[in-house]
Amino acid sequence: MSKRRRFKQTQSLEVRLAAKAEHLREKAREAPSGSERETLLCKARQFEEGLHMSEWLRTPGLQ
């Protein structure tokens, strides 16, 4: 049985989600109109929704 590889994240989840969403939006700006662009924008929105959910879960009222 092999050991699971583990590593420590250097940035918070929120920072990583925001960076990925921005990266996808930049790629979408460069992409021609069509299904590829829409797919990139959809993925960017999903990362932004994850960011908002993570922030919401960290609010003091929920803890």
Side-chain angles (χ1 to χ4, degrees):
M1 188 168 166
S2 64
K3 283 193 170 186
R4 186 171 152 192
R5 292 184 187 185
R6 296 180 187 226
F7 56 94
K8 184 140 181 127
Q9 294 292 341
T10 58
Q11 297 177 323
S12 70
L13 176 62
E14 288 83 9
V15 170
R16 289 180 283 139
L17 289 172
K20 185 67 174 178
E22 182 58 32
H23 174 73
L24 289 170
R25 288 206 179 272
E26 287 175 12
K27 283 182 72 173
R29 279 187 215 108
E30 297 168 0
S33 295
S35 63
E36 181 182 353
R37 183 181 204 173
E38 292 303 315
T39 300
L40 290 169
L41 290 172
C42 182
K43 287 181 180 181
R45 281 190 297 272
Q46 288 175 344
F47 277 102
E48 289 168 347
E49 288 173 10
L51 171 62
H52 294 305
M53 186 165 296
S54 178
E55 290 172 346
W56 177 72
L57 289 171
R58 291 179 186 267
T59 58
L62 293 175
Q63 294 177 353

